[in-house]
Amino acid sequence: MGCLAVMAGWPLKRWLGLTLVVLHLVTLDCALPKEVKSKVGEKVGLPCCHEIPSSESLRNYRVYWQKNTKEVVLAYSEGEKISDHDQYTNRTELDSKNLTLWISPVEILDNGTYQCVVQHLRFSHDFSPRVVCDAPVSLSVTADFSEPNITSNVINTTCESTEMVVTCSSHGGFPKPKISGVFNNGSLVWNTTWVSESSLSPYNVTGKLHLNVTKDVNLTCSVEYNGFVKSTSLLLTKTNDCIAPTMPPSYNVITATSIIFIIFLLAITLAARYFPRHACFHCSKNQDSMEEDEKESMKPPMICKMTSETSSL
């Protein structure tokens, strides 16, 4: 009988154990805040954990929407607004049935964890407010980054490769981003720096790389943030092409050139000596002929002498 009792008790123990596990999982699920995503400038609704039945109204409840368990964003009691945070002035409203908190337009400062606390004012034994709902909601705000800007600066170049520093930058986005990239079909690891005034301010991000480019190739830079990606590509060019150096002339060529040059100088020297003598020979010959002509012209004419002799006869 004892054995039968133990055997009969096993299903009950298993059921109790399973029930405890389910309750534990449900508790964990309730403890984890629901996540709502929105971009800057949009209108977003944060759901509450309680919905007022159609038989009741907001007058039977006290509703608190608070952020980080410290700041009361919006509060209603018996259907009347009793609190409104300065940061959310004219940007919030409460749905009177499902108690959704609407925020518009969304700002980066709205990013964070909110909590909806609902108290019932009518149905409690001691007439004190009874908490019927207390659950967190996470608002994840995104601000778009600018299109990445890629620049390259050549620092050294050889026949084989071009060494350059590549910079990729983007600004004005939220939350803190990650820079990734692709170069020559491989991933890149950037040296990244971020600039922001605070954890809830826009970020400026810059990544730098040292690359050796051996051929013209595309580089892609991507800025990743909260599930969004902005990408830009740039063609990196190798700035110097290899040119075969000119070979110096051989020894035989130099020798032949020297001989030709010497012969040319000798020819000029001989010509310089020959032409002056030849010119002087012609000059002296011309001078002698001129002197003979002058002597002939000074002789008396023969015809005149013969005429005088004839007349004397």
Side-chain angles (χ1 to χ4, degrees):
M1 293 295 293
C3 292
L4 290 175
V6 171
M7 293 296 294
W10 269 108
L12 179 60
K13 289 182 179 180
R14 289 183 179 179
W15 184 84
L16 289 174
L18 181 61
T19 303
L20 290 175
V21 171
V22 171
L23 289 175
H24 179 67
L25 292 176
V26 170
T27 304
L28 289 177
D29 183 66
C30 293
L32 294 175
K34 295 181 180 179
E35 185 178 16
V36 178
K37 293 184 177 182
S38 179
K39 284 190 175 184
V40 170
E42 295 180 345
K43 182 177 182 179
V44 65
L46 303 182
C48 186
C49 49
H50 183 75
E51 184 172 349
I52 298 177
S54 58
S55 59
E56 296 185 282
S57 68
L58 189 58
R59 292 183 176 276
N60 298 333
Y61 292 86
R62 184 179 295 156
V63 181
Y64 294 94
W65 269 104
Q66 55 192 26
K67 182 181 179 184
N68 301 327
T69 68
K70 296 179 180 180
E71 302 174 5
V72 177
V73 177
L74 188 64
Y76 275 78
S77 180
E78 297 181 342
E80 299 293 333
K81 183 190 294 186
I82 59 175
S83 180
D84 188 5
H85 197 281
D86 293 340
Q87 179 184 331
Y88 298 89
T89 301
N90 298 325
R91 293 197 304 119
T92 58
E93 57 179 301
L94 183 71
D95 189 291
S96 60
K97 283 298 181 182
N98 59 22
L99 307 181
T100 296
L101 175 66
W102 291 97
I103 303 175
S104 178
V106 173
E107 300 176 357
I108 292 179
L109 291 175
D110 298 336
N111 188 82
T113 301
Y114 294 75
Q115 195 167 12
C116 180
V117 180
V118 181
Q119 297 175 340
H120 201 291
L121 302 177
R122 305 299 182 191
F123 302 101
S124 60
H125 298 291
D126 55 358
F127 299 101
S128 62
R130 179 172 58 91
V131 177
V132 296
C133 170
D134 184 355
V137 180
S138 176
L139 175 59
S140 179
V141 178
T142 300
D144 284 330
F145 280 84
S146 63
E147 292 293 333
N149 180 40
I150 307 176
T151 59
S152 61
N153 181 28
V154 176
I155 58 177
N156 189 27
T157 181
T158 63
C159 251
E160 291 75 20
S161 65
T162 299
E163 184 180 358
M164 60 180 66
V165 175
V166 180
T167 302
C168 177
S169 60
S170 182
H171 62 274
F174 185 87
K176 187 177 181 179
K178 173 187 175 183
I179 290 186
S180 61
V182 177
F183 173 73
N184 202 16
N185 297 324
S187 59
L188 294 171
V189 178
W190 296 80
N191 182 15
T192 309
T193 57
W194 298 268
V195 177
S196 180
E197 294 181 358
S198 69
S199 60
L200 290 177
S201 296
Y203 283 87
N204 298 335
V205 61
T206 302
K208 288 188 176 182
L209 287 172
H210 281 78
L211 296 176
N212 283 320
V213 178
T214 58
K215 62 180 180 179
D216 295 352
V217 63
N218 271 313
L219 179 142
T220 300
C221 175
S222 300
V223 178
E224 304 173 12
Y225 56 102
N226 211 13
F228 297 92
V229 179
K230 290 285 185 74
S231 298
T232 301
S233 296
L234 177 68
L235 178 64
L236 301 180
T237 57
K238 183 174 175 293
T239 58
N240 189 19
D241 292 328
C242 289
I243 300 175
T246 56
M247 296 297 294
S250 64
Y251 175 77
N252 293 333
V253 174
I254 295 176
T255 303
T257 304
S258 300
I259 293 173
I260 293 173
F261 183 71
I262 293 172
I263 293 173
F264 178 72
L265 290 178
L266 290 175
I268 292 176
T269 304
L270 293 175
R273 291 183 178 182
Y274 170 75
F275 281 112
R277 289 182 179 181
H278 186 68
C280 291
F281 172 76
H282 283 288
C283 290
S284 60
K285 186 175 181 180
N286 292 335
Q287 187 175 1
D288 293 341
S289 61
M290 289 176 63
E291 290 178 355
E292 290 179 0
D293 292 340
E294 185 178 356
K295 290 179 179 180
E296 289 293 333
S297 63
M298 294 181 65
K299 289 181 179 182
M302 295 297 295
I303 188 170
C304 294
K305 186 177 181 181
M306 291 177 64
T307 304
S308 60
E309 289 179 355
T310 304
S311 60
S312 62
L313 289 177

